[in-house]
Amino acid sequence: MTGRGARVPAPVKRVVHFGSRSYGRVTAPARMLPSFLICGGQRCGTTSLYRALAAHPAVLKAVLHKGVHYFDTSYHRGMSWYRAHFPLRRTALKVEQRFGMPAQTFESSPYYLYHPQAAARIARDLPGVKLIALVRDPVERAHSQHAHELARGFESETSFAKALALEPARLCGEEDRLAGDPRAYSFAHQHHAYRARGEYATYLARTAARVGRGWIHVVESERFFAEPSMVYREVLDFLGLPHLGDPPFERHNARPRPSGMDPGLRRELAAYYEPHDDALATWLGRTPGWRR
C-alpha cells in the first residue's frame, strides 16, 4: 500500500516522465517558452529561490523537472524537446484572466552559467530572456559542492583537499573541447570543477557578452537567506512581476559536510578568489559580503 507521502519507485517515475515528455513534444507548438532562467551557480541557493518564485501566482514552473539542462547537456534534443517541459499557453491564458497579468514560466539549471556553450545558445534561442545568477562565498561553495557530489555518487575522492589537487588534471582541455564540439560532454567539467566554478565574474562576463548585461540579475545568496523578503522583491522587480505577498522562505538541498575544512586550505582558497571577488563587486555594486 502506498500512502500519500510515499516515494514513487524510480522505474514508475521514468515511465511517467517519458509519457509526459512524449505528449509534450506533440503539443510543443502550443507551449510556453521561459521568460527567465536561473542559470547558476551550483550550491548557491538556486533551489530555494526557485521554490520561492514558483509560488508566485503569475509564475508557472517547468513541468517534471526544475532543471531541464537543455542549453548545457541536452541541446542536441532540439527545441521541441525543450518546449515539452513547459506549460501550455492555454494554462498561461487562464492565469492571465484570473490575475490580470501575463503568466511567466522558467526553469533552473545551475550548469548554464559555467558551460561554455550555454550563453550563446540561450541568446540564440531565447532572445530577451532574463537570467538570474546566484553567488555565494566561493570557498564555502566549493566545499559544499564536493560534499554534494560525494553524496550523489559522482565523486570518489573523499578528501576535499585531494579533490582540489586532482581538479587541474581532471579539467585539462575540457573547456576547449566543450567549446569546440557542440555535442561533447564532460563529466569532470560538470561535477568536479570545485575551484573553477567560484570564478563567478569570469562566467558572468562571458554570459553578458552574449545576452547583454542588463538582462542578468546577480543575487548574493548569503543576503537572500538573511533578508529573503527584500531580495525576493528585488528579483520580482527585475522580472516585472508585482509583489503579491511573500512565499515561505526555506533552505533546500542543504547537505552535511563529511568533515571540516583545514584552516590553511581555507586561507589558500580565500587568497585565490580575492581578485575574482573584486571583479564580482562590480556586478553586486558592493564588496561581496564574505569579504567584508
Side-chain angles (χ1 to χ4, degrees):
M1 181 180 295
T2 57
R4 184 176 179 181
R7 184 182 296 273
V8 178
V12 175
K13 187 180 294 186
R14 283 194 293 270
V15 170
V16 171
H17 284 189
F18 176 78
S20 297
R21 280 194 295 267
S22 298
Y23 172 72
R25 285 189 178 188
V26 172
T27 57
R31 292 184 176 273
M32 304 171 69
L33 279 174
S35 56
F36 68 96
L37 304 171
I38 298 177
C39 64
Q42 187 191 28
R43 309 306 296 162
C44 290
T46 56
T47 299
S48 298
L49 182 59
Y50 173 88
R51 297 279 180 87
L53 290 171
H56 192 282
V59 173
L60 299 171
K61 62 184 180 180
V63 298
L64 301 180
H65 306 286
K66 76 177 181 70
V68 181
H69 287 285
Y70 174 62
F71 295 106
D72 46 30
T73 61
S74 298
Y75 196 65
H76 60 282
R77 297 180 183 273
M79 278 298 286
S80 291
W81 180 88
Y82 187 54
R83 277 186 178 270
H85 290 80
F86 296 99
L88 292 164
R89 287 200 293 268
R90 66 169 179 253
T91 304
L93 181 60
K94 291 178 182 178
V95 170
E96 183 172 359
Q97 291 171 341
R98 181 178 179 184
F99 295 102
M101 67 189 79
Q104 298 191 38
T105 190
F106 77 116
E107 54 125 337
S108 173
S109 297
Y111 191 30
Y112 288 166
L113 184 64
Y114 183 52
H115 193 284
Q117 294 258 12
R121 292 167 175 173
I122 291 169
R124 180 168 55 246
D125 293 345
L126 297 177
V129 74
K130 295 180 179 180
L131 304 180
I132 301 169
L134 288 95
V135 298
R136 70 183 284 196
D137 180 343
V139 178
E140 291 297 327
R141 194 220 67 81
H143 197 207
S144 176
Q145 184 193 347
H146 179 253
H148 184 63
E149 304 295 359
L150 274 174
R152 298 169 74 197
F154 295 152
E155 174 60 88
S156 58
E157 178 51 69
T158 57
S159 165
F160 177 51
K162 290 181 180 178
L164 285 174
L166 289 171
E167 185 173 331
R170 284 171 159 179
L171 299 187
C172 182
E174 294 300 88
E175 182 91 3
D176 291 339
R177 186 170 67 86
L178 289 170
D181 181 356
R183 295 185 69 89
Y185 171 71
S186 171
F187 183 87
H189 190 269
Q190 184 173 10
H191 296 291
H192 298 154
Y194 306 116
R195 184 189 297 257
R197 283 208 190 196
E199 300 168 11
Y200 305 121
T202 298
Y203 311 120
L204 288 168
R206 178 174 67 190
T207 303
R210 295 292 187 173
V211 305
R213 183 162 178 162
W215 300 99
I216 304 172
H217 182 71
V218 182
V219 175
E220 192 175 340
S221 65
E222 287 89 346
R223 182 167 171 259
F224 172 52
F225 289 119
E227 304 172 336
S229 182
M230 183 177 298
V231 173
Y232 175 69
R233 285 172 180 261
E234 292 168 358
V235 172
L236 293 183
D237 288 344
F238 170 69
L239 298 175
L241 288 167
H243 182 259
L244 301 175
D246 285 348
F249 295 115
E250 300 172 342
R251 286 180 179 263
H252 295 275
N253 288 349
R255 289 190 185 275
R257 312 282 176 87
S259 61
M261 193 187 312
D262 175 77
L265 178 58
R266 183 181 293 278
R267 288 192 296 271
E268 186 271 320
L269 286 172
Y272 173 83
Y273 285 123
E274 186 170 1
H276 299 286
D277 291 343
D278 289 343
L280 179 63
T282 64
W283 285 87
L284 297 173
R286 61 187 178 279
T287 301
W290 58 85
R291 284 285 175 183
R292 296 199 293 269

